[in-house]
Amino acid sequence: MTAVGAAPLLPAVLPAAAARAAADGRSDFPLVEGGAAVEVYVDAGDDPAVVRAAGDLQTDIERVTGVRPELRRTLPRRAALLVLVGTLGASPVIDQLVARGRLDVSRVRGRWEASVTQVVARPAPGVDRALVIAGSDRRGTVYGVYDTCERIGVSPWYWWADVPVERRETLSVPSATFKRYEPSVRYRGIFINDEQNLTTWSHRTQEPDKNIGPETYKRVFELLLRLKANYLWPAMHPYSDFFNKYRENPELADRYGIVVGSSHPEALLRNGVHEWAPWAEEHRGADGGLPVYDYTVNPGVISDYWRARARENAAYESSWTIGMRGLHDSALETKNATTIPEKVAVMNDIIADQRRILAEEVGAAAEPQIFIPYKEVLELYNAGVQVPEDITLIWPDDNHGNMRQLPNGTERARPGGNGIYYHLSYWGRPKSYLWLDTTQLSKVWQELRRVYEHGVDRMWIFNVGDVKSIETGLSFAMDMAWAVDRWDADEVGGFLAEWAGKQFGRRHAREIAAIRTEYYRLGAEKRPEFIDRGVFSPVHHGDEGGRRMAAYDRLLGRARAVGAELPEAYRDAYYELVEYPVHGAYLMNLKYYWADRNALAVRQGRGAGTNRFADLAEAAHAEEVAITRRYNTEVAGGKWDGIVNPYPSQIPKAPGRPAVTRIARQETSGLGVAAEGNETGAGRPLSFSSYTRDRRFIDVFNTGFLAVDWAAEASHPWVRLSAAAGSLTEQARVWVEMDWERVPEGTLDATVTVAGAGQRLEVPLRVVNDGERARRRARGFVEAHGYVSIDAVHVERRVARGGARWRVVRGLGRRTGAMEAVPSTTAPVTGDVATRGPELRYRVRFTSTGTFPVTVFRLPSLDERGQRRLAVALDDQPVTVLSGQAVATGNRGDAWARNVEDGVERLTAQVTVAEPGEHVLRLFMVDPAIAVDQIVIDTGGLPVSYLAPPESYHPVFNPDPVRSAGLNAPEQ
């Protein structure tokens, strides 16, 4: 069982692996038998990071078995078994094994962070058999050690997410050689940012005299190494202690083997938030004035400020951020340079000065050096900033998971290479998402594949906020950073299943993966941190908001069902990793749904029901507060006190408690009706089609507070009602559907009459029945209700052209997946799109004729040096090219802001249907890496709503539209 650059085996797989090894004539290597543990040896001259990691293996063996092995620094004179840990070139025993041809280091020796784990007979005098863990360098050995830790059943998240360690009396690992080859990306790490919750938790539970200090960073460093990461940008905000405040921090990082860098506003490891003010105070000008952080005003003071840190940290393995921005992530200040060319010249001077400092203070060890063209610095870079060839260019996303710009051919050829700064958590415009892990893993996969295809493989840094709540996303990002080819477009769900199996066992792995996939899908419709009043319609498409809440309710039920079946030891981890995110997102949405229903009730003139919706909204908020309190004070015995808070005091907050309206009680009653598709009354008829076989609602409500009796009657016997009479104080939802076997063919009008309190209110119905034979014979998507709605993955035919094609990316977008034009490096189509562009074809049956808008929902990728275009056509009609937003403005309220808030960009063209019947809708790639989610054609009946309408009838892809649309809104 040889793993090539892959994650370690699941603990649950080990028994089967042992059986296969035995069948092959190989025995497992025992670590603990009969209450005795095999000793672990590390040479006294090996790197401290290796010695420390070997100590973690020692502790992990004890976690599993209760037996602690001895950690030796000298070889034993006699041992039947030994775990031998060492680094090539630093461990004489390891080097002798290689020299004698006893240890296979092919594709390991001379590589970056590679390792081999191999059982060797008679590796040293007096030792019969050894499990050898050898690395190409210090971190290679460390990762080899942690591979073994994971193989014996210790999750990288054992501490940070309380994943339990299964106890065993005996412990062994497969004897087959295991190799971890060189990673896809050289530097892989995280940025702890917007970390108020982490700071609060650290101060309360780890170091009461500090705001994130060495004890917390020890835990961070260990987690990074267990995830096979090697790089950190430390916390940097005002409420956190800056990293170099405590000398133990950089010393510890070096001892663990972690490379420490700094973010885009922190040049040469300087934390401007905390460190500039005291430096300025000590370096007042001749007039006594404080110097400002402006290189055009105080270059000497600023240069000395940088030099002091370079000298202080010269001995550590560091990453040096080159360039300059303002203090605390603000824009660059240049009082004496006002034009873009002047600012470019200033940035060039800054870079030259910093390079001189590093050469003088650090020397050849001053690598890597990185330049991050973030926000306004990207504009300066594109205007001509000269970045030396050996500096790594770090390309930022738009803070919402869309890469702004990728290197061109010249930039890819630079010896310094390229990296990315990517957000899994963000504070800023247009809205922040700091609370939960809500970025679809398929979105992360799509963008990371794209950057890797563009040669970006030197450094990947991920903004993870407070670390907690990003566990799944961070694990996936690190997995891709090590082996970018491991997961394909159809296999992100496979990662989730494997990851869930490692944390909770294989029995529930697939169901947990499905739960997380649906959780991410609902977040792709609208992140819970982005929810607001009036987003989802409570009146259209079967109650759009209610359908969403029904999906969340089903999801929460599934999550709770799995949790109830897990052993007690797993409950805390499961709550942290699965149940709380689902429940929290559900409640954040639920309170706004009920608040929207409350506001609608006011407009409709409801009585007691208005207050009922207000109560439900406030109850949902109270429950959300309660589950967060449970996370902080009860889970894991209160270990995480302060770590989760949707409403931190000093940074942007998740949506809070929505305002609701209550009305004074009046001793009256009255009858009101609001039919689906109408905010008030029933002016818009309820629409029914024999293809979609719809289910529509009528809300019957009381305009007062005293009970009222009501009765409903349909005009035809083939109209079915879920309820025909009752007494209500608040409201009741009556569902209307057809008995299609009894409905006559043709276009029919019917009514439902609701009577009560001396009133008779009529609701009109429009019923179109083409007959069962027509339904069976239909091909393609069938127009109904004045629109055609298509999930883009339900394509009839794909046509590849010019070396490019469309592929399905599962789990991407608002539905089950999206279509993406690949490869991302292919050239744009510059002309003759209909014959040169890769094509998607959808068969559509129209009953209407005319010129209609067709809207393509594309995922909002960017290209600030190019364009974001696709094209549409109907049949052989002329092609219409649609141009999407290519630039991240960083504003609120504009096209880019709408796109990232909604997770899609709506691009609209016109198509002309001259004759009813079957047609082919054609979609073309113009620019690569375009991803399409849904397509909607409005033939005259489409109401305005946030989501695309439920998918139209299709005999293969969607034969039961009511079931697939989840038309089961809350019955309140």
Side-chain angles (χ1 to χ4, degrees):
M1 292 182 49
T2 302
V4 182
L9 300 172
L10 300 179
V13 177
L14 287 175
R20 286 195 295 272
D24 293 339
R26 304 190 308 267
S27 60
D28 289 353
F29 187 90
L31 296 174
V32 174
E33 277 187 334
V38 174
E39 294 178 335
V40 178
Y41 164 79
V42 184
D43 191 273
D46 216 320
D47 192 272
V50 173
V51 176
R52 196 211 56 78
D56 278 351
L57 175 60
Q58 178 189 30
T59 302
D60 284 355
I61 291 171
E62 184 180 21
R63 285 190 177 101
V64 176
T65 65
V67 181
R68 187 176 183 85
E70 182 181 348
L71 182 62
R72 300 184 59 94
R73 307 304 302 277
T74 58
L75 282 169
R77 292 185 176 182
R78 181 77 184 91
L81 298 168
L82 184 68
V83 177
L84 201 162
V85 177
T87 307
L88 296 174
S91 173
V93 177
I94 298 290
D95 292 342
Q96 289 167 16
L97 288 175
V98 174
R100 290 156 51 199
R102 305 290 305 288
L103 183 64
D104 178 9
V105 293
S106 58
R107 294 185 62 185
V108 172
R109 181 163 51 186
R111 304 298 179 96
W112 178 266
E113 298 179 345
S115 67
V116 56
T117 301
Q118 179 182 329
V119 175
V120 177
R122 296 178 300 280
V127 179
D128 295 339
R129 195 162 173 247
L131 179 70
V132 179
I133 303 172
S136 61
D137 52 30
R138 64 173 183 161
R139 278 190 294 272
T141 310
V142 168
Y143 296 147
V145 168
Y146 283 130
D147 281 336
T148 302
C149 292
E150 197 164 357
R151 294 168 89 189
I152 67 174
V154 180
S155 167
W157 295 99
Y158 81 94
W159 193 88
W160 278 96
D162 302 298
V163 176
V165 176
E166 182 182 348
R167 292 298 294 268
R168 305 179 201 176
E169 294 296 323
T170 62
L171 183 64
S172 62
V173 292
S175 61
T177 298
F178 181 94
K179 284 188 178 180
R180 177 171 287 276
Y181 295 148
E182 198 168 44
S184 300
V185 179
R186 174 160 289 212
Y187 295 100
R188 311 162 305 280
I190 67 171
F191 180 20
I192 298 174
N193 192 32
D194 311 314
E195 67 279 1
Q196 185 183 347
N197 291 343
L198 183 70
T199 302
T200 299
W201 164 81
S202 176
H203 181 76
R204 289 179 181 176
T205 68
Q206 302 299 299
E207 299 160 286
D209 60 333
K210 298 178 180 68
N211 291 311
I212 304 183
E215 293 305 311
T216 303
Y217 278 118
K218 284 180 186 177
R219 296 293 187 181
V220 172
F221 298 153
E222 181 188 337
L223 173 66
L224 290 176
L225 293 173
R226 287 182 183 266
L227 292 174
K228 314 306 181 292
N230 59 12
Y231 186 49
L232 173 72
W233 289 355
M236 50 80 70
H237 277 289
Y239 34 76
S240 302
D241 294 335
F242 65 97
F243 190 73
N244 267 68
K245 180 176 181 178
Y246 308 110
R247 291 307 304 163
E248 303 101 305
N249 284 341
E251 292 168 359
L252 280 169
D254 196 61
R255 195 182 312 152
Y256 275 74
I258 294 296
V259 181
V260 176
S262 55
S263 63
H264 40 87
E266 300 178 281
L268 269 60
L269 299 178
R270 273 295 195 178
N271 181 295
V273 175
H274 290 283
E275 296 189 271
W276 173 253
W279 182 271
E281 182 64 41
E282 294 173 2
H283 296 80
R284 288 180 176 270
D287 60 356
L290 285 171
V292 296
Y293 195 65
D294 181 337
Y295 197 82
T296 69
V297 177
N298 299 293
V301 176
I302 294 172
S303 181
D304 290 344
Y305 170 70
W306 291 331
R307 183 179 294 275
R309 178 52 42 78
R311 182 180 299 128
E312 186 179 24
N313 281 37
Y316 307 124
E317 189 178 7
S318 302
S319 166
W320 302 93
T321 299
I322 303 297
M324 187 176 184
R325 290 193 79 221
L327 296 173
H328 197 191
D329 206 5
S330 59
L332 178 69
E333 293 185 34
T334 52
K335 179 181 178 181
N336 296 324
T338 57
T339 67
I340 294 297
E342 289 172 341
K343 292 181 179 180
V344 167
V346 171
M347 187 62 75
N348 287 336
D349 289 343
I350 289 169
I351 293 172
D353 188 10
Q354 292 169 336
R355 297 269 287 179
R356 183 169 52 253
I357 291 169
L358 290 175
E360 294 170 357
E361 300 295 340
V362 185
E367 61 176 20
Q369 297 175 27
I370 65 174
F371 179 80
I372 312 166
Y374 185 79
K375 292 190 176 179
E376 81 286 344
V377 179
L378 179 60
E379 180 183 12
L380 298 182
Y381 173 80
N382 288 335
V385 169
Q386 299 300 305
V387 181
E389 291 282 293
D390 61 322
I391 292 179
T392 303
L393 296 175
I394 305 295
W395 302 97
D397 69 344
D398 66 344
N399 308 313
H400 293 265
N402 307 294
M403 293 306 302
R404 296 179 61 173
Q405 183 172 306
L406 292 173
N408 57 29
T410 300
E411 289 158 342
R412 288 198 291 272
R414 302 169 79 259
N418 295 269
I420 59 167
Y421 169 39
Y422 194 86
H423 288 76
L424 299 173
S425 174
Y426 177 63
W427 162 19
R429 294 178 179 177
K431 289 185 177 179
S432 307
Y433 55 103
L434 302 169
W435 176 37
L436 300 174
D437 173 16
T438 52
T439 301
Q440 277 184 309
L441 297 194
S442 293
K443 172 68 174 178
V444 177
W445 179 89
Q446 179 201 17
E447 290 293 313
L448 296 186
R449 279 296 322 177
R450 182 182 169 208
V451 303
Y452 193 78
E453 288 168 2
H454 280 77
V456 181
D457 61 2
R458 190 61 54 90
M459 182 179 290
W460 288 2
I461 185 81
F462 297 92
N463 189 318
V464 298
D466 293 303
V467 181
K468 285 292 286 180
S469 89
I470 310 292
E471 298 96 339
T472 310
L474 174 57
S475 295
F476 180 67
M478 289 299 106
D479 204 63
M480 278 203 73
W482 190 282
V484 74
D485 293 324
R486 187 166 183 229
W487 306 106
D488 206 347
D490 289 330
E491 297 172 342
V492 174
F495 165 82
L496 280 168
E498 180 182 290
W499 191 79
K502 289 179 180 179
Q503 316 314 318
F504 305 109
R506 297 177 66 192
R507 178 184 174 192
H508 300 289
R510 291 194 178 279
E511 175 64 359
I512 293 171
I515 289 167
R516 289 292 300 190
T517 298
E518 175 68 354
Y519 162 80
Y520 284 127
R521 187 194 69 80
L522 290 166
E525 289 184 345
K526 179 69 77 172
R527 292 188 194 266
E529 297 93 340
F530 291 0
I531 194 66
D532 204 345
R533 299 295 294 268
V535 174
F536 297 95
S537 171
V539 300
H540 295 307
H541 305 311
D543 185 350
E544 180 181 71
R547 284 169 42 220
R548 177 173 165 86
M549 295 321 308
Y552 261 122
D553 187 65
R554 291 191 296 270
L555 186 64
L556 180 59
R558 293 170 67 184
R560 285 173 162 168
V562 172
E565 293 187 17
L566 289 173
E568 184 65 32
Y570 288 85
R571 298 289 174 83
D572 287 340
Y574 187 77
Y575 191 80
E576 296 169 43
L577 296 175
V578 181
E579 186 174 335
Y580 177 83
V582 170
H583 202 178
Y586 166 61
L587 293 171
M588 187 67 75
N589 280 271
L590 185 63
K591 63 186 176 183
Y592 276 85
Y593 171 70
W594 291 129
D596 283 344
R597 292 288 300 273
N598 169 257
L600 178 62
V602 172
R603 296 194 295 273
Q604 293 173 336
R606 301 194 190 197
T610 301
N611 294 350
R612 171 67 171 159
F613 291 136
D615 292 343
L616 288 168
E618 296 201 338
H621 179 77
E623 187 175 0
E624 177 210 297
V625 171
I627 67 168
T628 300
R629 184 185 307 114
R630 175 188 169 190
Y631 195 131
N632 287 312
T633 62
E634 298 178 23
V635 168
K639 172 182 177 181
W640 299 112
D641 188 11
I643 197 68
V644 174
N645 181 6
Y647 315 108
S649 62
Q650 298 185 50
I651 57 179
K653 304 166 181 59
R657 179 184 304 186
V660 293
T661 300
R662 285 185 167 79
I663 61 175
R665 178 180 177 86
Q666 297 177 2
E667 302 301 313
T668 61
S669 64
L671 187 69
V673 164
E676 179 178 335
N678 301 271
E679 281 216 343
T680 59
R684 183 187 181 109
L686 297 181
S687 177
F688 298 86
S689 165
S690 57
Y691 295 99
T692 50
R693 297 184 175 180
D694 312 280
R695 184 172 184 248
R696 307 292 187 190
F697 69 83
I698 301 171
D699 280 346
V700 182
F701 58 84
N702 192 343
T703 61
F705 286 78
L706 300 179
V708 60
D709 294 331
W710 64 277
E713 182 180 8
S715 60
H716 296 78
W718 34 264
V719 178
R720 294 175 172 173
L721 305 178
S722 63
S727 178
L728 59 83
T729 303
E730 296 168 352
Q731 55 257 324
R733 178 158 282 183
V734 178
W735 289 98
V736 184
E737 52 191 337
M738 300 299 116
D739 182 350
W740 290 105
E741 293 183 357
R742 302 172 64 189
V743 178
E745 291 190 14
T747 300
L748 310 167
D749 291 322
T751 58
V752 173
T753 302
V754 183
Q759 296 175 280
R760 291 179 61 81
L761 305 173
E762 287 195 350
V763 177
L765 318 180
R766 175 62 55 85
V767 183
V768 179
N769 184 13
D770 283 357
E772 183 59 27
R773 183 181 178 189
R775 193 175 194 268
R776 288 198 306 267
R777 296 178 61 184
R779 297 191 301 168
F781 293 94
V782 180
E783 176 194 354
H785 316 302
Y787 64 82
V788 180
S789 182
I790 302 169
D791 287 1
V793 295
H794 291 157
V795 61
E796 182 161 313
R797 185 182 175 194
R798 288 180 263 180
V799 181
R801 294 190 178 109
R805 62 186 176 88
W806 291 90
R807 70 175 169 200
V808 177
V809 182
R810 297 293 176 194
L812 178 63
R814 294 174 165 189
R815 301 293 293 160
T816 59
M819 301 302 299
E820 182 190 21
V822 294
S824 65
T825 53
T826 195
V829 178
T830 56
D832 300 322
V833 172
T835 59
R836 296 177 58 203
E839 181 180 349
L840 300 172
R841 295 179 181 175
Y842 302 88
R843 190 184 299 272
V844 181
R845 178 183 169 187
F846 289 98
T847 57
S848 304
T849 60
T851 299
F852 305 126
V854 53
T855 299
V856 179
F857 291 65
R858 83 161 189 103
L859 304 186
S861 57
L862 302 171
D863 185 350
E864 300 203 359
R865 289 191 287 201
Q867 300 182 73
R868 300 277 78 203
R869 297 166 299 173
L870 51 82
V872 295
L874 189 69
D875 301 324
D876 294 324
Q877 296 174 16
V879 168
T880 300
V881 175
L882 302 174
S883 293
Q885 179 75 17
V887 175
T889 63
N891 298 328
R892 291 188 176 95
D894 63 6
W896 168 80
R898 288 192 301 274
N899 295 347
V900 297
E901 287 185 42
D902 296 351
V904 294
E905 181 177 30
R906 300 166 181 84
L907 301 177
T908 301
Q910 302 288 321
V911 296
T912 298
V913 181
E915 299 288 340
E918 289 188 0
H919 296 263
V920 176
L921 181 68
R922 307 169 70 192
L923 193 67
F924 303 90
M925 181 204 92
V926 179
D927 292 308
I930 291 283
V932 176
D933 189 18
Q934 292 170 287
I935 307 162
V936 178
I937 307 166
D938 181 1
T939 59
L942 185 66
V944 176
S945 62
Y946 175 75
L947 298 176
E951 189 177 32
S952 298
Y953 171 81
H954 189 288
V956 176
F957 295 126
N958 194 25
D960 189 357
V962 170
R963 179 183 296 273
S964 67
L967 293 172
N968 295 293
E971 301 288 344
Q972 298 291 338

